[in-house]
Amino acid sequence: MKFETIATFDKVSYMYPRSQEPVLKDISLDIHRGDFLGLIGPTGAGKTTFCLSLNGIVPQFYGGRFFGHLTVAGLDTVEHPVSRLAQHVGMVFEDPETQITATSVENEIAFALENLKVPREDMLARIPRVLEAVRLEGTAALHPHALSGGQKQRLAIAAALAVQPDILVLDEPTSQLDPVGVQEIFATLRELNQTLGITVVIASHAAEEMATYTDRLLLLAEGAVVASGSPDEVYSQIELMQRHYVRPPQVASTFYHIKRGGIPIPRIPVRLDEGSDGVRATARVYPVQVPKNTPTSLVRDSAPLLSAQALTHVYDGGAEALHSVSLDIHAGDYVLIVGQNGAGKSTLVKHFLRLLQPTSGRVLVEGVDTRDLTTSALAQRIGYVAQNPDHQIFNATVEAEVAFALNNLGYARAEVAARTEESLAAMGLLDCRRLHPLALPKGDRARVVIAAILAMKPDVIILDEPTTGQDDQGARHILDISDRLHTMGKTVIVITHHLYLMPAYAERVVVMGKGTILLDAPIREAYHAVDTLASTYLTPPQAVLLARALEDELRTEFPLLTPEEVAACFVQPTGAPAG
């Protein structure tokens, strides 16, 4: 069967102005109408540039040197203006703040439709439909600034979906969403792809969803296509993924480790349904043992370092973000706080720094009510990395940003220089020290803020969605730093939707939903509380679900968290070589 070609890359290469190396290298491929194409690769692989080239922003906005030819819907992307290409290509960027301009949610969606002269009746029908698709029902009259970061991302997606373009291009569109939200967006994109024939091109680190929903994957590295094929063909090449710092789905990782342990696996599955069937089938043939795990005790003898007592917070306008929350965090804890977008996670931790004041209840730091402490005094003890790093950046260079607070507090010049150098090195930012922070990708901007916090050497560090916009290597680099701080005796609080990352780091999980605490438990207990997680739009990592499939098969508890732990259950046959 022949499919109509909607976009063609013909030996496309591109160099940004003043760049010494091309960010796209000799790319040739066809995108067909109705494709669901996924782009994977490490940070800096060229995924964003690939996306921007489809509607002419590259090279028309950025300039630089463009080689080869790229046509979309029969239009050459160099010769036709972006405004013309936008009629065929809808864009959703990683950072929703760069796209949202209207004063209400419904006006934001209507804006693009009005530009395209969509009839009013059709417009009024589309707006509620796309709001429902991205779980923003009831928000039509709200100002976008009243939405959480994840909700703003949903709004940007809804505005693009409403246009119903020939090609919908999305660059990390789900990076700020809760896990169920990620699945819903992918499912919505798939439905639009199948029912309306919209071609979808999406760059994402969400390996599990990319494996489930895309038809074809391109693995980019240093601007070149190094692998192309179905998700099964690409993600099953685990060692190729490892070489290019790309995280495969946990199902694929699990079976890769099972195979390396000596169990013959004819084909590595990449989707959860196949993986669940596979572990059950394997357990019927090969011996299985339950790894011994030592539960983490949450018992603490000392007084809490941070304490919220019956804390309620109501924002201006009447939205209750927290309702009678009580939580103690002790010195040396490593706590993971999870929950749906809008669950109150960021609102809670901001109270520890007095960035917000309780509507009722109390917040204590070492037994002292935060009402009796200054924000500047708290900031020297508690480092906070906000969900949007741009809200914390205001200096002209990376180095000045990291040194700013130290200079402001009157540290000696030599001490400022030493701490700045140490923090830049820890975050891998030495080569960027002279650059403007806002010129860096969002993931690197987050590292700048973390470096500035580390330079202060706080007793507590709070990381609010620190892995957003990071590839697997970058995310683990940040969390490794948090782990080193924890080992040094620091108290660490991490807020993230990326549950798969945290078993190597967190001891304790606080699950929040709709402004309340639903569960406070050791990580092995919390990750297996599937119903509680589901009530706040979370799903446990695939390895946990594979462990539960083993439980169903063998009627034995498998409180496991990682692909390596699940794989270790399967006993190597006598005399079989490993690997």
Side-chain angles (χ1 to χ4, degrees):
M1 179 182 293
K2 292 185 178 180
F3 297 92
E4 178 188 352
T5 299
I6 191 70
T8 297
F9 288 75
D10 182 12
K11 297 182 179 179
V12 169
S13 296
Y14 174 69
M15 298 176 67
Y16 283 103
R18 296 180 296 280
S19 174
Q20 301 301 312
E21 293 291 333
V23 70
L24 297 179
K25 297 179 183 177
D26 199 29
I27 293 179
S28 293
L29 64 98
D30 289 335
I31 301 174
H32 298 100
R33 190 176 294 277
D35 272 356
F36 197 129
L37 176 65
L39 306 176
I40 61 175
T43 298
K47 303 184 299 296
T48 294
T49 305
F50 184 104
C51 291
L52 294 176
S53 69
L54 282 165
N55 72 346
I57 292 178
V58 163
Q60 295 187 44
F61 178 78
Y62 287 99
R65 302 173 67 188
F66 190 92
F67 306 92
H69 298 279
L70 171 55
T71 58
V72 176
L75 305 175
D76 189 297
T77 59
V78 175
E79 295 178 356
H80 292 82
V82 173
S83 58
R84 176 79 185 279
L85 292 164
Q87 297 176 34
H88 300 277
V89 182
M91 290 288 299
V92 177
F93 300 106
E94 178 183 2
D95 186 354
E97 303 278 1
T98 63
Q99 288 185 264
I100 295 173
T101 58
T103 56
S104 74
V105 167
E106 62 182 351
N107 286 344
E108 183 65 34
I109 298 172
F111 178 73
L113 299 177
E114 290 170 344
N115 285 339
L116 295 176
K117 297 182 172 55
V118 173
R120 179 174 175 79
E121 297 77 13
D122 191 10
M123 190 186 308
L124 293 175
R126 290 191 200 184
I127 291 173
R129 192 162 62 238
V130 296
L131 287 177
E132 181 180 2
V134 299
R135 216 167 72 226
L136 283 178
E137 307 98 313
T139 66
L142 293 180
H143 195 290
H145 292 322
L147 304 179
S148 69
Q151 288 171 324
K152 290 176 183 175
Q153 188 68 286
R154 293 172 190 273
L155 175 56
I157 294 170
L161 292 179
V163 174
Q164 298 179 1
D166 293 322
I167 304 180
L168 184 59
V169 182
L170 307 103
D171 184 14
E172 291 291 348
T174 62
S175 61
Q176 298 186 41
L177 303 185
D178 56 54
V180 172
V182 174
Q183 294 169 20
E184 289 177 350
I185 292 303
F186 270 90
T188 299
L189 293 172
R190 189 57 168 164
E191 182 179 358
L192 289 165
N193 168 253
Q194 292 180 331
T195 60
L196 299 178
I198 292 177
T199 302
V200 177
V201 177
I202 181 169
S204 177
H205 296 304
E208 285 76 13
E209 287 71 30
M210 294 287 269
T212 300
Y213 292 100
T214 63
D215 301 318
R216 181 164 57 124
L217 290 178
L218 295 182
L219 171 58
L220 296 177
E222 297 181 345
V225 176
V226 297
S228 174
S230 70
D232 299 84
E233 293 169 332
V234 176
Y235 274 138
S236 61
Q237 300 179 64
I238 304 299
E239 292 173 3
L240 177 67
M241 300 292 106
Q242 292 171 342
R243 284 199 301 273
H244 293 290
Y245 305 106
V246 174
R247 183 183 71 87
Q250 284 203 336
V251 164
S253 294
T254 300
F255 279 85
Y256 170 75
H257 287 294
I258 292 173
K259 187 174 183 178
R260 283 179 57 84
I263 305 294
I265 301 295
R267 186 180 68 84
I268 292 178
V270 302
R271 283 173 285 276
L272 181 61
D273 54 352
E274 297 175 84
S276 297
D277 291 341
V279 293
R280 293 189 188 101
T282 305
R284 296 183 196 121
V285 178
Y286 297 98
V288 176
Q289 61 186 7
V290 184
K292 294 180 180 179
N293 298 297
T294 303
T296 302
S297 172
L298 298 182
V299 176
R300 298 287 190 271
D301 295 329
S302 60
L305 175 60
L306 308 175
S307 182
Q309 299 178 355
L311 174 62
T312 293
H313 186 83
V314 180
Y315 282 106
D316 293 341
E320 186 180 56
L322 297 174
H323 178 73
S324 195
V325 168
S326 293
L327 176 69
D328 289 339
I329 295 175
H330 293 76
D333 277 355
Y334 193 127
V335 181
L336 169 62
I337 302 179
V338 300
Q340 70 209 89
N341 292 119
K345 307 181 295 295
S346 298
T347 301
L348 171 61
V349 298
K350 286 178 180 178
H351 279 81
F352 294 132
L353 291 109
R354 205 174 178 235
L355 298 176
L356 294 173
Q357 297 266 20
T359 302
S360 63
R362 297 197 303 163
V363 177
L364 309 178
V365 175
E366 283 196 317
V368 180
D369 195 307
T370 54
R371 293 184 179 92
D372 299 325
L373 299 168
T374 65
T375 301
S376 60
L378 288 167
Q380 294 181 57
R381 297 205 55 197
I382 304 173
Y384 176 62
V385 181
Q387 187 173 3
N388 188 337
D390 296 352
H391 293 167
Q392 293 180 262
I393 289 173
F394 48 90
N395 281 280
T397 68
V398 169
E399 186 172 45
E401 186 67 39
V402 175
F404 177 80
L406 299 172
N407 285 321
N408 201 42
L409 291 169
Y411 282 87
R413 181 178 299 178
E415 179 74 5
V416 171
R419 289 200 190 189
T420 300
E421 188 82 6
E422 181 182 358
S423 294
L424 288 171
M427 296 309 301
L429 292 170
L430 286 173
D431 292 341
C432 305
R433 64 194 308 160
R434 308 297 183 202
L435 300 179
H436 196 295
L438 297 181
L440 302 178
K442 186 173 183 180
D444 288 346
R445 300 200 298 272
R447 296 190 196 194
V448 173
V449 174
I450 294 171
I453 297 298
L454 292 182
M456 296 286 291
K457 298 186 177 180
D459 298 320
V460 181
I461 183 164
I462 300 172
L463 301 169
D464 192 348
E465 296 289 355
T467 59
T468 296
Q470 302 283 347
D471 61 12
D472 192 56
Q473 183 184 31
R476 293 185 188 278
H477 179 68
I478 289 172
L479 292 172
D480 285 346
I481 290 171
S482 75
D483 190 53
R484 290 202 298 272
L485 291 169
H486 181 235
T487 302
M488 293 164 54
K490 306 294 185 182
T491 303
V492 180
I493 302 170
V494 173
I495 298 172
T496 183
H497 295 309
H498 298 150
L499 273 64
Y500 65 87
L501 285 167
M502 299 310 298
Y505 307 100
E507 303 166 337
R508 170 185 174 194
V509 180
V510 174
V511 182
M512 297 189 67
K514 296 182 179 179
T516 64
I517 291 179
L518 305 177
L519 180 67
D520 183 354
I523 190 168
R524 291 193 186 276
E525 177 183 336
Y527 272 36
H528 281 263
V530 176
D531 291 342
T532 301
L533 293 174
S535 71
T536 188
Y537 298 102
L538 299 177
T539 54
Q542 285 186 340
V544 171
L545 299 176
L546 293 177
R548 295 177 71 82
L550 273 179
E551 290 181 358
D552 293 341
E553 180 66 29
L554 300 175
R555 309 299 180 195
T556 304
E557 286 193 4
F558 287 79
L560 310 176
L561 299 178
T562 68
E564 292 83 356
E565 288 183 349
V566 176
C569 291
F570 294 93
V571 181
Q572 178 179 323
T574 303

